[in-house]
Amino acid sequence: MDDEENVVIEEDYYAFLNVPRDASPEEINNAYRRLSRIYHPDKHLDPAAKKDAEILFNKTKRAYEVLNDPHQRAIYDNVGIKGLETGGWEIIQRTKTPSEICAEFERLAREREEKLLQQRTNPRGNVTVRINATDIFNSYNDEYGVDEESGFPNIEVSGMSLSQSIDAPITLRDTVTLGGQLSTHNGTGSGDVSFSSRRLLSNSSWVQGGLSIGNGPTINIRTFRALTPRIFGSGGIDFHFNNDGIQSGIDSTLAMQLDRRTMGYLTWRAGQSSSMSTSVIRDSETYHTGFLVTFGIPHSFISFHYTYKFKDNQLRLKGAVKAGTFGAMFEYTAQKKISEHNTLSAAVSLGVPTGVTLKIKLQRANQSYSFPIHLCEEIVPSAVFYATTVPLVGYFLLKKLVFDPISKEEQDRKIERQKEANKNRMAEKQREAKIAVNLMSATFARIKSEEENRRGLVIVKALYGCKVKETLDENRDDVIHSEFIIDVTIPLQCLVKDSKLVLHESSKSQLPGFYDVSVGEEKELFIQYLYNTIVHETLIKDEEVLRIPKHSHRLNPI
């Protein structure tokens, strides 16, 4: 069970005062004075209202005290309310400046991460199953259009490989890796067991030594060093002992950061396979591209790839071209993140002389499962068509029948756990919201009257909760009755100042008069308002910034 699913939602003092996280002392003071005029107990004569006002005023005062004090604000920004509740932390930090507090928090966070690192291992694994399905499409290549054999095509597993490794931190500077791999191809198998130890020499360099035992022992040494802030180098040498003697190999890479998003690499390898290659890779928020040129023995080639990233859909589309002395290849890939820890991809490779290959890969955390399926030894249109369409149809069927139900079930369980963890807190917030709305009645009437007289900003209707737009469409002219939608007209009107309303980038559930109607679920805010006696409407997501009035919110005249 993830810890984040059981975290009790804390107060957001910035959202409660409706100020940005970088608010100046003047903005914080103004927000405090505005809320004090509503919640100060002396503003209410009724004993019950005075008692209720004390609750909201004390909360307002506490938010002001924290954000108005540079030391408390630095602790709150970095650690949250728990940091303020730890007296020792607060006393110690009184001797430090806010910037020193931030640096101290970052140092402690790093130490916690290092301790956790020493307490866990990092397993990585890969399973590859190579499938030969060329018999499916070879029949189409028969010169006379007659199959020599009848029955189902012969599909076989031509090879398989399994590898697994475990990283075990020994100290903060030393990490040991134990791994092994087995592989078989057309009835011939091999395998090895490897052990390596890496030592962090400094923040800019490390050295690693390793030993593997399989078809004769192999000893290797690798090192890395950052030469400048923008240039680093790595290299290694290995010695393989077998019946033919000792075979050695060496490789080295020099890398340079060309700009903020572009890296250049120069690599040299010598041994049984010698080569010199250079590559340029650029990575941005929307795409990833790379260009590689390699001159070597036995093969030289040139390659280019481009990946477009669809951030909202967690989808990537990739195209790659490779040509050289071995032949030529074109490959296109679709990669989709199907859950928090799972990624599914399908690639179609068209090559000469390799033919058509479909590659399906599932990445689950640090484990990957690959299934290269060789469909045809030549580029046949039917093989290309089926290699492209079958994965698409299969994915949409799996998504509809398997992935979506599992994802929804996991999300529902997560929401229920969050609701249970915050059950008492949300009941308290709901009670506070009702108290706040009752205390706002006089302020609401005054501000609304002032705005109507100046033909300014008047909130006609404001609704906050889950699926507000969908519910409005179904009940446009009716009063909405839903436990997941609340009327927040009064709280929003009280936040209007000089015919303007600004809500900052934080959950609206933290505003006075609001509460979280359903923990863990997406929420939205609908506002219908008058400005210059003209009707305007807008709908925003829970943490979206809002600034009204806006001309784009104006409804078209009927």
Side-chain angles (χ1 to χ4, degrees):
M1 184 180 299
D2 295 335
D3 292 340
E4 64 181 14
E5 295 177 3
N6 295 315
V7 171
V8 176
I9 298 175
E10 292 187 343
E11 297 286 353
D12 187 336
Y13 291 149
Y14 291 99
F16 183 78
L17 296 180
N18 192 32
V19 295
R21 299 195 72 84
D22 59 350
S24 64
E26 183 181 1
E27 290 177 301
I28 294 172
N29 287 329
N30 291 337
Y32 171 68
R33 286 196 295 268
R34 183 182 68 249
L35 293 182
S36 295
R37 286 194 290 268
I38 300 175
Y39 301 133
H40 199 288
D42 293 344
K43 300 288 184 180
H44 304 275
L45 301 178
D46 181 71
K50 185 183 290 290
K51 185 177 180 180
D52 288 341
E54 288 180 358
I55 298 174
L56 273 300
F57 180 69
N58 289 335
K59 185 175 179 179
T60 304
K61 185 178 179 182
R62 177 57 174 162
Y64 170 74
E65 289 174 347
V66 171
L67 300 186
N68 194 51
D69 185 299
H71 291 82
Q72 291 195 64
R73 184 174 179 179
I75 295 172
Y76 174 72
D77 287 345
N78 287 290
V79 189
I81 292 178
K82 289 184 179 179
L84 298 171
E85 294 173 348
T86 306
W89 170 272
E90 189 170 0
I91 293 171
I92 292 171
Q93 300 307 324
R94 279 292 173 184
T95 62
K96 297 181 179 290
T97 66
S99 60
E100 289 174 332
I101 292 174
C102 295
E104 177 71 6
F105 171 75
E106 291 174 357
R107 184 186 67 79
L108 293 174
R110 285 195 300 270
E111 289 184 358
R112 286 194 297 269
E113 290 177 358
E114 289 171 350
K115 289 179 181 179
L116 290 173
L117 181 65
Q118 294 182 50
Q119 297 172 0
R120 66 170 183 259
T121 57
N122 181 26
R124 296 190 302 264
N126 181 282
V127 177
T128 300
V129 180
R130 298 177 181 84
I131 300 172
N132 186 347
T134 55
D135 196 41
I136 296 177
F137 295 98
N138 281 346
S139 59
Y140 293 113
N141 296 332
D142 186 78
E143 184 178 356
Y144 300 101
V146 179
D147 295 337
E148 294 181 359
E149 298 181 3
S150 59
F152 292 102
N154 182 30
I155 301 175
E156 61 181 9
V157 176
S158 60
M160 181 180 293
S161 64
L162 301 93
S163 64
Q164 187 74 32
S165 67
I166 298 176
D167 294 337
I170 304 301
T171 68
L172 295 179
R173 289 182 174 273
D174 298 292
T175 302
V176 171
T177 301
L178 179 65
Q181 68 92 20
L182 292 171
S183 63
T184 178
H185 182 68
N186 292 332
T188 303
S190 63
D192 63 62
V193 176
S194 63
F195 170 86
S196 66
S197 177
R198 175 177 294 186
R199 172 78 174 179
L200 185 66
L201 302 178
S202 66
N203 291 333
S204 60
S205 64
W206 54 257
V207 64
Q208 174 180 297
L211 170 67
S212 65
I213 301 174
N215 183 23
T218 300
I219 299 174
N220 63 76
I221 300 173
R222 301 198 61 81
T223 184
F224 168 90
R225 181 170 181 80
L227 305 177
T228 71
R230 300 182 62 181
I231 301 175
F232 66 85
S234 65
I237 184 170
D238 61 86
F239 300 95
H240 182 204
F241 301 86
N242 55 30
N243 295 332
D244 298 329
I246 302 176
Q247 296 177 341
S248 62
I250 186 171
D251 67 88
S252 62
T253 299
L254 183 66
M256 180 176 181
Q257 185 177 1
L258 304 178
D259 61 35
R260 191 167 63 93
R261 298 185 179 276
T262 308
M263 291 293 298
Y265 298 88
L266 181 63
T267 302
W268 172 70
R269 292 184 177 89
Q272 285 185 315
S273 298
S274 300
S275 65
M276 175 71 75
S277 64
T278 181
S279 61
V280 177
I281 296 175
R282 182 172 179 81
D283 189 33
S284 72
E285 294 181 356
T286 57
Y287 71 89
H288 177 93
T289 186
F291 180 77
L292 171 67
V293 178
T294 298
F295 297 97
I297 300 173
H299 293 300
S300 299
F301 61 89
I302 184 172
S303 68
F304 173 79
H305 73 266
Y306 180 87
T307 303
Y308 187 80
K309 307 173 186 178
F310 297 85
K311 291 179 62 178
D312 294 339
N313 296 325
Q314 297 182 318
L315 172 69
R316 295 187 177 191
L317 298 180
K318 176 182 177 181
V321 179
K322 187 176 181 180
T325 55
F326 63 88
M329 182 272 294
F330 170 68
E331 184 173 289
Y332 50 95
T333 306
Q335 178 180 301
K336 173 71 174 177
K337 188 172 183 180
I338 56 178
S339 68
E340 184 177 359
H341 301 291
N342 296 285
T343 302
L344 182 65
S345 65
V348 179
S349 176
L350 313 176
V352 178
T354 55
V356 182
T357 302
L358 171 63
K359 304 174 184 178
I360 298 175
K361 183 176 182 180
L362 173 65
Q363 185 79 32
R364 180 174 176 82
N366 291 327
Q367 305 289 321
S368 64
Y369 307 88
S370 304
F371 301 90
I373 306 171
H374 193 191
L375 297 177
C376 191
E377 296 176 352
E378 297 180 0
I379 302 178
V380 178
S382 57
V384 177
F385 173 78
Y386 285 107
T388 304
T389 57
V390 170
L392 287 174
V393 174
Y395 167 75
F396 285 113
L397 288 176
L398 286 172
K399 182 177 184 298
K400 189 71 175 177
L401 301 177
V402 180
F403 299 151
D404 285 352
I406 292 177
S407 178
K408 187 178 185 305
E409 186 177 348
E410 290 179 351
Q411 184 66 21
D412 290 343
R413 285 200 301 266
K414 181 177 179 180
I415 291 173
E416 288 303 317
R417 285 193 288 264
Q418 288 182 332
K419 287 180 178 180
E420 187 64 28
N422 293 278
K423 183 177 180 181
N424 295 333
R425 179 71 188 126
M426 290 303 102
E428 180 185 345
K429 287 282 292 181
Q430 184 175 355
R431 178 173 173 271
E432 285 183 2
K434 291 180 179 178
I435 292 174
V437 171
N438 291 335
L439 297 174
M440 290 176 182
S441 56
T443 304
F444 167 75
R446 175 179 59 80
I447 294 178
K448 184 179 180 181
S449 176
E450 291 175 355
E451 293 296 326
E452 286 176 338
N453 292 335
R454 68 171 66 165
R455 301 178 63 191
L457 180 59
V458 178
I459 307 297
V460 177
K461 180 191 296 183
L463 301 173
Y464 173 75
C466 303
K467 301 179 180 179
V468 176
K469 177 64 175 175
E470 181 180 326
T471 307
L472 280 172
D473 291 340
E474 295 175 356
N475 306 275
R476 192 66 180 179
D477 300 323
D478 301 327
V479 177
I480 295 176
H481 297 283
S482 172
E483 61 177 316
F484 301 113
I485 298 177
I486 57 175
D487 191 316
V488 291
T489 305
I490 292 176
L492 285 186
Q493 185 69 68
C494 290
L495 292 176
V496 173
K497 183 179 180 182
D498 298 329
S499 299
K500 294 179 182 178
L501 173 62
V502 178
L503 301 180
H504 300 282
E505 190 177 3
S506 57
S507 175
K508 308 303 179 285
S509 64
Q510 297 282 349
L511 289 168
F514 287 63
Y515 63 90
D516 196 332
V517 294
S518 185
V519 178
E521 295 191 46
E522 292 185 359
K523 289 164 281 290
E524 53 192 14
L525 173 65
F526 168 81
I527 303 176
Q528 183 183 84
Y529 62 94
L530 294 176
Y531 185 71
N532 288 334
T533 68
I534 299 174
V535 180
H536 296 64
E537 282 187 6
T538 184
L539 180 75
I540 64 169
K541 295 181 180 179
D542 187 25
E543 297 191 3
E544 187 177 343
V545 176
L546 173 70
R547 290 182 175 86
I548 58 174
K550 272 189 177 181
H551 187 270
S552 58
H553 297 163
R554 181 174 176 174
L555 295 184
N556 295 326
I558 301 176

